[in-house]
Amino acid sequence: MTDKPICLIVGAGDYIGAAIAKRFAKGGFHVVMGRRRGELFASLVEEIEANGGSAQGFTWDARRQETATEMFAMVEKEIGPIDICIFNVGGNVSFPILETTERVFRKVWEMCAYAAFLTGREAAKYMVVRQKGSIFFTGATASMKGNAGFAAFASGKFALRGLAQAMARELSPQNIHVAHLIVDAGVDTKFVRERKRQAGIDVETLPPDTLMNPDSIAEAYWYIHHQSRDGWTHELDIRPFAEKW
Amino acid sequence: MTDKPICLIVGAGDYIGAAIAKRFAKGGFHVVMGRRRGELFASLVEEIEANGGSAQGFTWDARRQETATEMFAMVEKEIGPIDICIFNVGGNVSFPILETTERVFRKVWEMCAYAAFLTGREAAKYMVVRQKGSIFFTGATASMKGNAGFAAFASGKFALRGLAQAMARELSPQNIHVAHLIVDAGVDTKFVRERKRQAGIDVETLPPDTLMNPDSIAEAYWYIHHQSRDGWTHELDIRPFAEKW
Amino acid sequence: MTDKPICLIVGAGDYIGAAIAKRFAKGGFHVVMGRRRGELFASLVEEIEANGGSAQGFTWDARRQETATEMFAMVEKEIGPIDICIFNVGGNVSFPILETTERVFRKVWEMCAYAAFLTGREAAKYMVVRQKGSIFFTGATASMKGNAGFAAFASGKFALRGLAQAMARELSPQNIHVAHLIVDAGVDTKFVRERKRQAGIDVETLPPDTLMNPDSIAEAYWYIHHQSRDGWTHELDIRPFAEKW
Amino acid sequence: MTDKPICLIVGAGDYIGAAIAKRFAKGGFHVVMGRRRGELFASLVEEIEANGGSAQGFTWDARRQETATEMFAMVEKEIGPIDICIFNVGGNVSFPILETTERVFRKVWEMCAYAAFLTGREAAKYMVVRQKGSIFFTGATASMKGNAGFAAFASGKFALRGLAQAMARELSPQNIHVAHLIVDAGVDTKFVRERKRQAGIDVETLPPDTLMNPDSIAEAYWYIHHQSRDGWTHELDIRPFAEKW
């Protein structure tokens, strides 16, 4: 058990998820993280603790209902009440429609929307009792626009947005802040740099801040969670200054 | 085999689907219809034939990939090339988020979006070869707005909209017209009349045209399909004059 | 006076306006047209009459309230009740924000939105009494997206969209159909062909239907006006199959 | 001249504007404010100074180009470089369309959009030279939805949104942060309380935070201005937890 408020991050990957974890740990939260390969959390937990924070990482397949139910129960019972739950599972793939297998279409939805539903509902289960909490979802460019080659991903991200909106309209009056943050650009990752290179862009000579630092995104989560409830934001976009949109 | 152009309706229910079938049959199309209980098509086919049209109905579970693949192959081989494919499967349910089971969330998505993907992709498979055809999807109020109590349905309908948009951007340049028609009100069905009654509305004394006649919706599908390709509509809304929105 | 239903087009230019005029004349309407230089209507009226239709053109500055008031009164008194009023004044200009003079910003708004307000309100004045009629507004790409270099035009077209939406919500329950048609591409005009050429595109070798024929747009106005009131469309987009969006 | 960064607020009224002024003064900015009746700033300046901040208020009619040009020149020359410029002029009125005079329609647009253009362009003039700055615009419910009875206001607020979007797409790559903040509810003012009372709502017994405290809105401006440029927000909504939307 911890006396700190708890920030749970489901889908805490190496970039946005890790940055959010560090931001909330720095701000005095105990951070609980889940991802499919929980063993990958070791160095992140170490880094957070070295900086005076506290965090725990778990193996957590967000697409399994049993996992969702058990893990939320475990966190609530053994660690403490979840103050904020952030859903950050990815799922960005691109295929022409004729090359989109049913498996891909289904998996992308499971990652983008079904896992979000399981996570959001389990979080709501505990927060509704307390009439208090935050549930945030990470969106993407594809949440707003279905581009050619992104049928599966756009469908998944649109699904997430519809879920977030309906949950916000239902849960906000119960003092639960539901937000949808649209990350409308490539975060600075090896994957994105490689993709830029393949598109003929010399990544090394890009102006500073052309790619997003995950820390900047984490700051938005931190801010939104700390809004007074008479002025809650449900949706905002985040993109680098030089991004075309 | 038929010499007429073929209109395929997947999810041809008693209201919108049946109205579209009659409209296209009247306009000289051979109508092929699918729904889970194919035996229910008997009287509709009879009615269409009595009016000088032609139609066939099949048992067709739109949520099964094997069915989609086989049925499309069957229609294309044994009946003729599909000129227009209309996806009209429903899925409207309402539950508070805490009472939304994973089964409901999944089923609603399977009906709204996964079945639409299977249907749209199989249609595209044949149409891309011919560089010609139309693929239309039926949306709802929940396609644009996630209302309280509609987490599952809004998520499913948003997912359909993202799919439709991505398919439109990919397939339109290949001369395939992909459209998303938003039916933003209750069609005049027993179900809707009962719901109005429960809400204290005296359905019998409503002004004429307050509830939608499915024929009016069918007319929109007919019109959109006959647009010249230099002026295609991707999205339009349809609602009765007296509807609040 | 005429016994035909009357279609009034304010801002009837050489392309979309003229095409709408011909479409409604062909369909049995008496067409009344206004533009700033009324003398330019001569050949269009001649063409419509040669095809068995009837039309009249007037000098009409849509941005002047006195003109709006007087002309609507004149049409209603001397020609007959207006069945449908279409507002089609343009205003597409592009300037960097620092080169956008206050005169340009104001004029563009006057053309896009202020003239639309005067036209729509005067039309409503007569239609509300009859509890019957249609008021349609022509939108553009800039109605949905404010692109760089289009501050004045996007602001004007967004303003038109807000006006159309508010009028629809207020007037639809009074049996007046208010619609907003988004023409999301360049119509095939000398101006657009020249702009394509300057952008290095060989206009002569474009695939057929890459540029919009105004007749295709006119067909949308015709269709929307003939919708049954239990299934009215408020907004639809129109673009050529090959257009990027 | 001041050594502090300068926050300029055009349309600094008694509620949101004043709250933003206090927030930025507290944060170390020198606040320059303009409104039509500059004499009303006296007590606000006093309050800010009493709290250790610095501020100046001017009579400033935001709808006059000469005023915009002269006042920006004056601030830049005599006070210092403007770091952030916030446009906060209101304009909320409601009239049925037939009772909306041309004067009302024009005035509302002048307040919502024309004044925003003059303010934004003058700010950009100086910021483009420095390749640095922020320009924020205050939106409202009517920025997103044109409700019945709000033709003039919705048209004006839509116009503002189109302007803000086009300016963002043009100026962001020049390191100027353009944002549009949608205040989607009634701020706690005498006017709003009176309106609630007239609607039969007992304002005194509303749950705490049902009406928005302008300070909560001010906090959003503060946060958005301090975002790192690799993660800028262009648009966000702000509404109280209990608000219907």
Side-chain angles (χ1 to χ4, degrees), chain C residues 65 96-98 100 102 105-106 109 114 117 121 125 145-147 149 151 155 158-159 162 165-166 169-170, chain D residues 65 96-98 100 102 105-106 109 114 117 121 125 145-147 149 151 155 158-159 162 165-166 169-170:
Chain C
Q65 171 164 258
I97 186 72
L98 294 188
T100 304
E102 79 83 26
F105 193 80
R106 181 182 289 274
W109 168 76
Y114 175 70
F117 158 70
R121 188 193 60 183
K125 196 194 284 183
K145 194 176 170 188
N147 277 320
S155 185
F158 270 61
Q165 241 184 54
R169 288 198 172 88
E170 181 176 338
Chain D
Q65 172 165 256
I97 185 73
L98 294 188
T100 306
E102 80 83 27
F105 193 80
R106 180 183 291 274
W109 168 76
Y114 176 70
F117 159 70
R121 188 191 63 184
K125 195 195 284 182
K145 194 175 170 190
N147 277 322
S155 185
F158 270 61
Q165 238 184 56
R169 287 199 171 88
E170 181 175 339

Short mmCIF file of all heavy atoms in Angstrom, two decimals, chain C residues 65 96-98 100 102 105-106 109 114 117 121 125 145-147 149 151 155 158-159 162 165-166 169-170, chain D residues 65 96-98 100 102 105-106 109 114 117 121 125 145-147 149 151 155 158-159 162 165-166 169-170:
data_model
loop_
_atom_site.label_atom_id
_atom_site.label_comp_id
_atom_site.label_asym_id
_atom_site.label_seq_id
_atom_site.Cartn_x
_atom_site.Cartn_y
_atom_site.Cartn_z
N GLN C 65 -28.43 45.57 -47.85
CA GLN C 65 -29.70 45.21 -47.24
C GLN C 65 -30.90 45.75 -48.02
O GLN C 65 -31.90 45.06 -48.22
CB GLN C 65 -29.76 45.71 -45.79
CG GLN C 65 -31.15 45.54 -45.20
CD GLN C 65 -31.19 45.67 -43.70
OE1 GLN C 65 -31.26 44.66 -43.01
NE2 GLN C 65 -31.10 46.88 -43.20
N PRO C 96 -1.37 35.74 -47.67
CA PRO C 96 -0.75 35.53 -46.35
C PRO C 96 -1.42 36.48 -45.36
O PRO C 96 -1.90 37.55 -45.75
CB PRO C 96 0.72 35.92 -46.57
CG PRO C 96 0.93 35.84 -48.04
CD PRO C 96 -0.39 36.16 -48.69
N ILE C 97 -1.43 36.12 -44.12
CA ILE C 97 -2.15 36.93 -43.13
C ILE C 97 -1.63 38.37 -43.10
O ILE C 97 -2.43 39.31 -43.02
CB ILE C 97 -2.08 36.27 -41.72
CG1 ILE C 97 -2.95 37.03 -40.70
CG2 ILE C 97 -0.68 36.15 -41.19
CD1 ILE C 97 -4.41 36.86 -40.89
N LEU C 98 -0.34 38.56 -43.23
CA LEU C 98 0.19 39.93 -43.14
C LEU C 98 -0.15 40.76 -44.36
O LEU C 98 -0.04 41.98 -44.34
CB LEU C 98 1.70 39.91 -42.93
CG LEU C 98 2.17 39.33 -41.59
CD1 LEU C 98 3.66 39.55 -41.41
CD2 LEU C 98 1.40 39.96 -40.43
N THR C 100 -3.16 40.44 -45.81
CA THR C 100 -4.62 40.51 -45.86
C THR C 100 -5.05 41.88 -45.33
O THR C 100 -4.93 42.15 -44.13
CB THR C 100 -5.23 39.37 -45.01
OG1 THR C 100 -4.72 38.12 -45.47
CG2 THR C 100 -6.75 39.36 -45.14
N GLU C 102 -7.62 44.95 -44.28
CA GLU C 102 -8.92 44.92 -43.59
C GLU C 102 -10.02 44.96 -44.63
O GLU C 102 -11.10 44.41 -44.45
CB GLU C 102 -9.05 46.03 -42.54
CG GLU C 102 -9.38 47.40 -43.06
CD GLU C 102 -10.88 47.60 -43.29
OE1 GLU C 102 -11.69 46.94 -42.63
OE2 GLU C 102 -11.24 48.41 -44.17
N PHE C 105 -10.51 41.40 -45.90
CA PHE C 105 -11.15 40.57 -44.88
C PHE C 105 -12.64 40.89 -44.78
O PHE C 105 -13.48 39.99 -44.70
CB PHE C 105 -10.46 40.79 -43.52
CG PHE C 105 -10.85 39.76 -42.50
CD1 PHE C 105 -10.26 38.50 -42.49
CD2 PHE C 105 -11.83 40.03 -41.54
CE1 PHE C 105 -10.63 37.54 -41.56
CE2 PHE C 105 -12.20 39.08 -40.61
CZ PHE C 105 -11.60 37.83 -40.62
N ARG C 106 -12.96 42.16 -44.83
CA ARG C 106 -14.35 42.59 -44.71
C ARG C 106 -15.16 42.21 -45.95
O ARG C 106 -16.26 41.68 -45.85
CB ARG C 106 -14.39 44.10 -44.50
CG ARG C 106 -15.77 44.69 -44.33
CD ARG C 106 -15.72 46.22 -44.19
NE ARG C 106 -15.16 46.63 -42.91
CZ ARG C 106 -15.88 46.75 -41.78
NH1 ARG C 106 -17.18 46.49 -41.81
NH2 ARG C 106 -15.31 47.13 -40.66
N TRP C 109 -15.93 38.49 -46.13
CA TRP C 109 -17.02 38.15 -45.21
C TRP C 109 -18.36 38.65 -45.74
O TRP C 109 -19.37 37.96 -45.67
CB TRP C 109 -16.76 38.75 -43.82
CG TRP C 109 -17.96 38.69 -42.92
CD1 TRP C 109 -18.44 37.59 -42.28
CD2 TRP C 109 -18.86 39.76 -42.60
NE1 TRP C 109 -19.57 37.91 -41.57
CE2 TRP C 109 -19.85 39.24 -41.74
CE3 TRP C 109 -18.90 41.12 -42.94
CZ2 TRP C 109 -20.88 40.02 -41.23
CZ3 TRP C 109 -19.93 41.90 -42.43
CH2 TRP C 109 -20.91 41.35 -41.59
N TYR C 114 -22.26 37.75 -44.84
CA TYR C 114 -23.22 38.83 -44.61
C TYR C 114 -24.30 38.80 -45.68
O TYR C 114 -25.50 38.89 -45.38
CB TYR C 114 -22.48 40.17 -44.60
CG TYR C 114 -23.36 41.38 -44.48
CD1 TYR C 114 -24.03 41.66 -43.29
CD2 TYR C 114 -23.51 42.26 -45.56
CE1 TYR C 114 -24.84 42.79 -43.19
CE2 TYR C 114 -24.32 43.38 -45.46
CZ TYR C 114 -24.98 43.64 -44.27
OH TYR C 114 -25.78 44.75 -44.17
N PHE C 117 -26.58 36.00 -45.01
CA PHE C 117 -27.53 36.32 -43.94
C PHE C 117 -28.69 37.14 -44.49
O PHE C 117 -29.87 36.83 -44.25
CB PHE C 117 -26.81 37.08 -42.82
CG PHE C 117 -27.71 37.89 -41.96
CD1 PHE C 117 -28.59 37.29 -41.09
CD2 PHE C 117 -27.70 39.29 -42.04
CE1 PHE C 117 -29.45 38.05 -40.30
CE2 PHE C 117 -28.56 40.05 -41.26
CZ PHE C 117 -29.43 39.43 -40.39
N ARG C 121 -32.32 35.55 -44.55
CA ARG C 121 -33.34 36.14 -43.69
C ARG C 121 -34.54 36.64 -44.50
O ARG C 121 -35.69 36.42 -44.11
CB ARG C 121 -32.75 37.31 -42.89
CG ARG C 121 -33.69 37.86 -41.83
CD ARG C 121 -33.20 39.18 -41.29
NE ARG C 121 -33.10 40.19 -42.34
CZ ARG C 121 -32.64 41.43 -42.17
NH1 ARG C 121 -32.21 41.80 -40.97
NH2 ARG C 121 -32.57 42.28 -43.17
N LYS C 125 -38.34 35.28 -44.25
CA LYS C 125 -39.45 36.18 -43.94
C LYS C 125 -40.73 35.75 -44.66
O LYS C 125 -41.80 35.71 -44.07
CB LYS C 125 -39.06 37.60 -44.37
CG LYS C 125 -39.92 38.70 -43.80
CD LYS C 125 -39.69 40.01 -44.55
CE LYS C 125 -38.36 40.67 -44.16
NZ LYS C 125 -38.21 41.99 -44.86
N LYS C 145 -12.07 23.53 -43.29
CA LYS C 145 -10.65 23.53 -42.94
C LYS C 145 -10.04 24.88 -43.25
O LYS C 145 -10.14 25.35 -44.40
CB LYS C 145 -9.95 22.43 -43.76
CG LYS C 145 -8.57 22.08 -43.28
CD LYS C 145 -7.98 20.92 -44.08
CE LYS C 145 -6.52 20.75 -43.75
NZ LYS C 145 -5.83 19.79 -44.61
N GLY C 146 -9.41 25.50 -42.27
CA GLY C 146 -8.75 26.76 -42.50
C GLY C 146 -7.31 26.53 -42.90
O GLY C 146 -6.46 26.28 -42.05
N ASN C 147 -7.04 26.59 -44.18
CA ASN C 147 -5.68 26.33 -44.64
C ASN C 147 -4.81 27.60 -44.62
O ASN C 147 -5.33 28.72 -44.68
CB ASN C 147 -5.72 25.77 -46.06
CG ASN C 147 -5.98 24.27 -46.05
OD1 ASN C 147 -5.45 23.53 -45.21
ND2 ASN C 147 -6.82 23.81 -46.96
N GLY C 149 -2.84 30.65 -45.65
CA GLY C 149 -3.06 31.54 -46.77
C GLY C 149 -4.52 31.84 -47.04
O GLY C 149 -4.85 32.58 -47.96
N ALA C 151 -6.90 32.82 -44.51
CA ALA C 151 -7.53 33.34 -43.28
C ALA C 151 -8.85 34.03 -43.59
O ALA C 151 -9.86 33.77 -42.94
CB ALA C 151 -6.57 34.28 -42.56
N SER C 155 -12.42 32.14 -42.83
CA SER C 155 -13.24 32.83 -41.83
C SER C 155 -14.63 33.12 -42.40
O SER C 155 -15.64 32.90 -41.74
CB SER C 155 -12.55 34.12 -41.39
OG SER C 155 -13.27 34.74 -40.36
N PHE C 158 -16.45 29.61 -42.89
CA PHE C 158 -16.88 29.09 -41.58
C PHE C 158 -18.11 29.89 -41.09
O PHE C 158 -19.06 29.31 -40.56
CB PHE C 158 -15.75 29.23 -40.54
CG PHE C 158 -14.80 28.06 -40.45
CD1 PHE C 158 -14.04 27.66 -41.54
CD2 PHE C 158 -14.64 27.35 -39.26
CE1 PHE C 158 -13.15 26.59 -41.44
CE2 PHE C 158 -13.76 26.27 -39.15
CZ PHE C 158 -13.01 25.90 -40.24
N ALA C 159 -18.07 31.19 -41.27
CA ALA C 159 -19.18 32.04 -40.82
C ALA C 159 -20.48 31.63 -41.51
O ALA C 159 -21.54 31.57 -40.89
CB ALA C 159 -18.87 33.50 -41.12
N GLY C 162 -21.77 28.36 -39.90
CA GLY C 162 -22.43 28.59 -38.61
C GLY C 162 -23.83 29.16 -38.81
O GLY C 162 -24.78 28.76 -38.13
N GLN C 165 -26.19 26.42 -40.12
CA GLN C 165 -26.55 25.45 -39.08
C GLN C 165 -27.59 26.02 -38.13
O GLN C 165 -28.58 25.36 -37.77
CB GLN C 165 -25.31 25.08 -38.28
CG GLN C 165 -24.96 23.62 -38.33
CD GLN C 165 -23.77 23.30 -37.44
OE1 GLN C 165 -23.73 23.61 -36.26
NE2 GLN C 165 -22.77 22.68 -38.03
N ALA C 166 -27.39 27.26 -37.71
CA ALA C 166 -28.33 27.88 -36.78
C ALA C 166 -29.68 28.08 -37.46
O ALA C 166 -30.73 27.87 -36.84
CB ALA C 166 -27.77 29.20 -36.27
N ARG C 169 -31.47 24.67 -37.64
CA ARG C 169 -32.07 24.24 -36.37
C ARG C 169 -33.31 25.06 -36.03
O ARG C 169 -34.22 24.58 -35.38
CB ARG C 169 -31.03 24.29 -35.24
CG ARG C 169 -29.98 23.18 -35.36
CD ARG C 169 -29.23 22.98 -34.04
NE ARG C 169 -28.37 21.80 -34.11
CZ ARG C 169 -27.12 21.79 -34.55
NH1 ARG C 169 -26.56 22.91 -34.99
NH2 ARG C 169 -26.41 20.67 -34.57
N GLU C 170 -33.34 26.31 -36.45
CA GLU C 170 -34.50 27.16 -36.14
C GLU C 170 -35.65 26.97 -37.13
O GLU C 170 -36.82 26.94 -36.74
CB GLU C 170 -34.06 28.63 -36.14
CG GLU C 170 -35.20 29.57 -35.78
CD GLU C 170 -34.76 31.03 -35.68
OE1 GLU C 170 -33.55 31.27 -35.47
OE2 GLU C 170 -35.62 31.91 -35.82
N GLN D 65 -9.47 49.50 -37.12
CA GLN D 65 -8.13 49.20 -37.62
C GLN D 65 -7.09 50.21 -37.15
O GLN D 65 -5.98 49.84 -36.75
CB GLN D 65 -8.12 49.13 -39.14
CG GLN D 65 -6.69 49.01 -39.70
CD GLN D 65 -6.64 48.59 -41.14
OE1 GLN D 65 -6.34 47.44 -41.44
NE2 GLN D 65 -6.95 49.49 -42.03
N PRO D 96 -34.12 35.31 -32.74
CA PRO D 96 -34.63 34.52 -33.87
C PRO D 96 -34.11 35.15 -35.16
O PRO D 96 -33.86 36.37 -35.20
CB PRO D 96 -36.15 34.69 -33.74
CG PRO D 96 -36.40 35.11 -32.33
CD PRO D 96 -35.19 35.87 -31.91
N ILE D 97 -33.99 34.36 -36.20
CA ILE D 97 -33.41 34.88 -37.43
C ILE D 97 -34.19 36.09 -37.95
O ILE D 97 -33.57 37.07 -38.40
CB ILE D 97 -33.30 33.76 -38.50
CG1 ILE D 97 -32.58 34.26 -39.75
CG2 ILE D 97 -34.64 33.17 -38.88
CD1 ILE D 97 -31.11 34.47 -39.59
N LEU D 98 -35.50 36.06 -37.86
CA LEU D 98 -36.28 37.18 -38.43
C LEU D 98 -36.16 38.46 -37.60
O LEU D 98 -36.48 39.54 -38.08
CB LEU D 98 -37.76 36.79 -38.56
CG LEU D 98 -38.06 35.69 -39.57
CD1 LEU D 98 -39.56 35.52 -39.77
CD2 LEU D 98 -37.38 35.97 -40.91
N THR D 100 -33.19 39.26 -36.26
CA THR D 100 -31.78 39.62 -36.28
C THR D 100 -31.58 40.75 -37.29
O THR D 100 -31.70 40.54 -38.49
CB THR D 100 -30.91 38.40 -36.66
OG1 THR D 100 -31.22 37.32 -35.79
CG2 THR D 100 -29.44 38.73 -36.58
N GLU D 102 -29.61 43.68 -39.47
CA GLU D 102 -28.31 43.64 -40.14
C GLU D 102 -27.26 44.27 -39.23
O GLU D 102 -26.10 43.89 -39.25
CB GLU D 102 -28.38 44.32 -41.51
CG GLU D 102 -28.32 45.82 -41.54
CD GLU D 102 -26.88 46.36 -41.46
OE1 GLU D 102 -25.96 45.65 -41.89
OE2 GLU D 102 -26.69 47.47 -40.94
N PHE D 105 -26.16 41.57 -36.78
CA PHE D 105 -25.34 40.56 -37.45
C PHE D 105 -23.93 41.09 -37.71
O PHE D 105 -22.94 40.39 -37.48
CB PHE D 105 -25.99 40.13 -38.77
CG PHE D 105 -25.39 38.90 -39.37
CD1 PHE D 105 -25.73 37.64 -38.90
CD2 PHE D 105 -24.44 38.98 -40.39
CE1 PHE D 105 -25.16 36.48 -39.42
CE2 PHE D 105 -23.86 37.83 -40.92
CZ PHE D 105 -24.23 36.58 -40.44
N ARG D 106 -23.88 42.35 -38.15
CA ARG D 106 -22.58 42.95 -38.46
C ARG D 106 -21.77 43.21 -37.20
O ARG D 106 -20.57 42.88 -37.14
CB ARG D 106 -22.82 44.26 -39.22
CG ARG D 106 -21.56 45.01 -39.62
CD ARG D 106 -21.89 46.34 -40.32
NE ARG D 106 -22.48 46.14 -41.64
CZ ARG D 106 -21.76 45.96 -42.76
NH1 ARG D 106 -20.44 45.95 -42.72
NH2 ARG D 106 -22.38 45.78 -43.91
N TRP D 109 -20.29 40.04 -35.70
CA TRP D 109 -19.13 39.61 -36.47
C TRP D 109 -17.94 40.50 -36.20
O TRP D 109 -16.80 40.04 -36.07
CB TRP D 109 -19.45 39.60 -37.97
CG TRP D 109 -18.24 39.44 -38.81
CD1 TRP D 109 -17.53 38.29 -39.04
CD2 TRP D 109 -17.55 40.47 -39.55
NE1 TRP D 109 -16.46 38.55 -39.87
CE2 TRP D 109 -16.45 39.88 -40.20
CE3 TRP D 109 -17.78 41.85 -39.73
CZ2 TRP D 109 -15.56 40.61 -41.01
CZ3 TRP D 109 -16.91 42.58 -40.53
CH2 TRP D 109 -15.82 41.96 -41.16
N TYR D 114 -13.90 40.10 -36.85
CA TYR D 114 -13.16 41.19 -37.50
C TYR D 114 -12.12 41.77 -36.52
O TYR D 114 -10.96 41.95 -36.87
CB TYR D 114 -14.14 42.26 -37.97
CG TYR D 114 -13.51 43.48 -38.56
CD1 TYR D 114 -12.87 43.44 -39.79
CD2 TYR D 114 -13.56 44.70 -37.88
CE1 TYR D 114 -12.30 44.58 -40.33
CE2 TYR D 114 -12.99 45.84 -38.42
CZ TYR D 114 -12.35 45.79 -39.64
OH TYR D 114 -11.78 46.91 -40.18
N PHE D 117 -9.33 39.39 -36.23
CA PHE D 117 -8.43 39.48 -37.37
C PHE D 117 -7.47 40.66 -37.20
O PHE D 117 -6.25 40.51 -37.36
CB PHE D 117 -9.24 39.63 -38.66
CG PHE D 117 -8.48 40.23 -39.80
CD1 PHE D 117 -7.46 39.53 -40.43
CD2 PHE D 117 -8.75 41.53 -40.23
CE1 PHE D 117 -6.74 40.10 -41.48
CE2 PHE D 117 -8.05 42.11 -41.28
CZ PHE D 117 -7.03 41.39 -41.90
N ARG D 121 -3.59 39.91 -36.71
CA ARG D 121 -2.68 40.35 -37.77
C ARG D 121 -1.64 41.32 -37.23
O ARG D 121 -0.45 41.20 -37.54
CB ARG D 121 -3.46 41.01 -38.90
CG ARG D 121 -2.60 41.31 -40.11
CD ARG D 121 -3.33 42.20 -41.09
NE ARG D 121 -3.64 43.50 -40.48
CZ ARG D 121 -4.34 44.47 -41.06
NH1 ARG D 121 -4.82 44.30 -42.28
NH2 ARG D 121 -4.57 45.61 -40.44
N LYS D 125 2.34 40.69 -37.10
CA LYS D 125 3.28 41.62 -37.77
C LYS D 125 4.59 41.72 -36.97
O LYS D 125 5.68 41.69 -37.54
CB LYS D 125 2.60 42.99 -37.86
CG LYS D 125 3.27 43.96 -38.81
CD LYS D 125 2.77 45.37 -38.58
CE LYS D 125 1.36 45.61 -39.14
NZ LYS D 125 0.94 47.03 -38.94
N LYS D 145 -21.10 24.62 -32.77
CA LYS D 145 -22.47 24.22 -33.04
C LYS D 145 -23.35 25.45 -33.21
O LYS D 145 -23.36 26.33 -32.35
CB LYS D 145 -22.98 23.38 -31.84
CG LYS D 145 -24.26 22.63 -32.11
CD LYS D 145 -24.64 21.73 -30.95
CE LYS D 145 -26.05 21.17 -31.15
NZ LYS D 145 -26.54 20.48 -29.95
N GLY D 146 -24.05 25.53 -34.33
CA GLY D 146 -24.95 26.66 -34.55
C GLY D 146 -26.34 26.32 -34.04
O GLY D 146 -27.09 25.62 -34.72
N ASN D 147 -26.68 26.78 -32.87
CA ASN D 147 -27.98 26.46 -32.30
C ASN D 147 -29.07 27.42 -32.75
O ASN D 147 -28.78 28.56 -33.14
CB ASN D 147 -27.88 26.45 -30.77
CG ASN D 147 -27.33 25.14 -30.24
OD1 ASN D 147 -27.66 24.06 -30.77
ND2 ASN D 147 -26.47 25.20 -29.24
N GLY D 149 -31.61 30.22 -32.82
CA GLY D 149 -31.61 31.48 -32.10
C GLY D 149 -30.25 32.13 -32.02
O GLY D 149 -30.10 33.21 -31.45
N ALA D 151 -28.01 32.56 -34.82
CA ALA D 151 -27.45 32.70 -36.17
C ALA D 151 -26.28 33.70 -36.18
O ALA D 151 -25.22 33.42 -36.73
CB ALA D 151 -28.54 33.13 -37.15
N SER D 155 -22.41 32.39 -36.33
CA SER D 155 -21.69 32.80 -37.53
C SER D 155 -20.40 33.54 -37.16
O SER D 155 -19.34 33.29 -37.73
CB SER D 155 -22.60 33.69 -38.40
OG SER D 155 -21.96 34.00 -39.61
N PHE D 158 -17.95 30.87 -35.50
CA PHE D 158 -17.40 29.99 -36.54
C PHE D 158 -16.33 30.77 -37.33
O PHE D 158 -15.26 30.23 -37.66
CB PHE D 158 -18.49 29.53 -37.51
CG PHE D 158 -19.20 28.25 -37.13
CD1 PHE D 158 -19.91 28.12 -35.96
CD2 PHE D 158 -19.18 27.14 -37.99
CE1 PHE D 158 -20.58 26.94 -35.63
CE2 PHE D 158 -19.83 25.95 -37.67
CZ PHE D 158 -20.54 25.85 -36.49
N ALA D 159 -16.64 32.01 -37.65
CA ALA D 159 -15.69 32.85 -38.41
C ALA D 159 -14.36 32.97 -37.67
O ALA D 159 -13.28 32.91 -38.27
CB ALA D 159 -16.29 34.23 -38.65
N GLY D 162 -12.39 29.64 -38.02
CA GLY D 162 -11.75 29.51 -39.33
C GLY D 162 -10.50 30.37 -39.41
O GLY D 162 -9.45 29.95 -39.92
N GLN D 165 -7.71 28.81 -37.26
CA GLN D 165 -7.13 27.61 -37.90
C GLN D 165 -6.18 27.99 -39.03
O GLN D 165 -5.08 27.44 -39.15
CB GLN D 165 -8.26 26.75 -38.46
CG GLN D 165 -8.29 25.35 -37.90
CD GLN D 165 -9.37 24.51 -38.56
OE1 GLN D 165 -9.42 24.36 -39.77
NE2 GLN D 165 -10.23 23.96 -37.75
N ALA D 166 -6.60 28.92 -39.86
CA ALA D 166 -5.76 29.33 -40.98
C ALA D 166 -4.49 30.02 -40.48
O ALA D 166 -3.40 29.81 -41.02
CB ALA D 166 -6.54 30.25 -41.91
N ARG D 169 -2.08 27.33 -39.15
CA ARG D 169 -1.38 26.58 -40.19
C ARG D 169 -0.30 27.44 -40.86
O ARG D 169 0.71 26.93 -41.33
CB ARG D 169 -2.37 26.04 -41.21
CG ARG D 169 -3.20 24.87 -40.67
CD ARG D 169 -3.84 24.06 -41.79
NE ARG D 169 -4.46 22.83 -41.28
CZ ARG D 169 -5.71 22.76 -40.83
NH1 ARG D 169 -6.48 23.84 -40.80
NH2 ARG D 169 -6.19 21.61 -40.40
N GLU D 170 -0.52 28.74 -40.91
CA GLU D 170 0.46 29.62 -41.56
C GLU D 170 1.58 30.03 -40.60
O GLU D 170 2.74 30.09 -40.99
CB GLU D 170 -0.25 30.88 -42.09
CG GLU D 170 0.70 31.83 -42.79
CD GLU D 170 -0.02 33.03 -43.41
OE1 GLU D 170 -1.25 32.93 -43.65
OE2 GLU D 170 0.65 34.05 -43.64
#
